[in-house]
Amino acid sequence: ESVDRRYELSSAGSRVALHTRLASYFRARADPELQFSWRSQDFRAANCLAYHMIGSKRWGMVSDILTDLGFLEMCVRIGRVYGLCDDISNAVSGIEGAESDEELKKERIKVMLEVQR
């Protein structure tokens, strides 16, 4: 509540906009070349990226990042396997409640659950 007041997050749109800005920031830290090369060793960037991507409701990008082999390798390299599993579970829950295209939703969820196994 106090965070909402401080950062003027009274509406869902303002929360999504803030998550979008933070997702862009952490994406640049985790992938400095912004080409899915994931050369960073920045644990915090990898840890925060999925959370803010999910909060930004950019489901295509969430799915692309969480199923990207380079991102998965980076998470393993920096010791973030359990966090990655949580991110995938949270993304699946978000997509289930948000996507309107049923076929696209099923495909994204299927791919992420395969990665989680």
Side-chain angles (χ1 to χ4, degrees):
E1 186 179 305
S2 62
V3 171
D4 288 348
R5 277 193 310 251
R6 179 174 182 183
Y7 295 103
E8 299 174 8
L9 303 175
S10 57
S11 71
S14 59
R15 284 188 200 95
V16 169
L18 179 61
H19 279 295
T20 301
R21 287 186 67 195
L22 289 169
S24 295
Y25 170 75
F26 286 115
R27 166 76 195 277
R29 283 184 50 185
D31 182 20
E33 297 164 2
L34 298 177
Q35 295 183 357
F36 289 87
S37 58
W38 309 108
R39 297 175 194 262
S40 176
Q41 297 293 320
D42 190 337
F43 183 88
R44 182 161 187 253
N47 195 43
C48 295
L49 177 59
Y51 174 80
H52 290 295
M53 288 299 300
I54 292 166
S56 73
K57 301 183 186 302
R58 295 172 57 199
W59 302 116
M61 186 60 78
V62 169
S63 178
D64 291 348
I65 288 173
L66 292 179
T67 59
D68 182 74
L69 184 59
F71 182 75
L72 300 173
E73 288 174 344
M74 179 186 71
C75 288
V76 169
R77 188 174 60 243
I78 63 175
R80 220 189 145 263
V81 175
Y82 293 114
L84 180 62
C85 291
D86 289 341
D87 292 340
I88 291 171
S89 294
N90 292 334
V92 166
S93 295
I95 289 172
E96 285 176 336
E99 285 282 358
S100 57
D101 181 339
E102 287 299 315
E103 288 303 312
L104 182 60
K105 179 189 334 188
K106 287 177 186 175
E107 183 60 29
R108 287 184 177 154
I109 290 171
K110 177 184 170 191
V111 170
M112 284 193 283
L113 292 176
E114 286 176 10
V115 167
Q116 192 176 32
R117 288 186 208 150

